[in-house]
Amino acid sequence: QVHLVESGGGSVQAGRSLRLSCVASGYTGSLNCMGWFRQVPGKERETVAYIYTHSKSTYYADSVKGRFTISLGNLKTTVHLQMDSMKPDDSAVYYCVADRNTCNSGSPYWGQGTQVTVSA
């Protein structure tokens, strides 16, 4: 089992930055992917970004490319999401995700979520 704990959410004005972090514990040696999804009320959870823990290859949703950066900590059990030039549309609950293959909406491991609010 893998346990994920997020931190770093909050409220910012448009154009400012936030940094989210997620720490994985438990049976983390089998993980191949860690990342972030987000969800607003009434909409499906959507991919934000993810990173493969071995190759360090990354994926970004078009809506965040060039503004968000995903990275791993040294022990590959922590994933960070640096969010710059934030927009009101970035407001959502952000969830950390981990998977033994590719991160997706059906991945088995999720954090509890952290609220991000961007005001105009």
Side-chain angles (χ1 to χ4, degrees), residues 52-93:
Y52 291 100
T53 58
H54 299 293
S55 68
K56 304 290 182 70
S57 295
T58 58
Y59 168 86
Y60 293 94
D62 287 343
S63 58
V64 306
K65 279 181 182 176
R67 300 189 299 119
F68 291 11
T69 303
I70 191 168
S71 61
L72 287 172
N74 290 337
L75 296 179
K76 299 181 181 179
T77 55
T78 301
V79 63
H80 306 287
L81 185 68
Q82 178 67 37
M83 303 184 291
D84 298 322
S85 302
M86 297 191 72
K87 304 175 181 180
D89 284 348
D90 294 323
S91 298
V93 177

Side-chain angles (χ1 to χ4, degrees), residues 97-108:
V97 62
D99 199 299
R100 295 188 179 90
N101 295 295
T102 297
C103 297
N104 61 86
S105 59
S107 291

Side-chain angles (χ1 to χ4, degrees), residues 38-53:
R38 66 188 182 187
Q39 188 171 25
V40 298
K43 292 189 176 182
E44 292 187 358
R45 196 170 292 188
E46 64 174 7
T47 308
V48 177
Y50 55 79
I51 184 167
Y52 291 100
T53 58

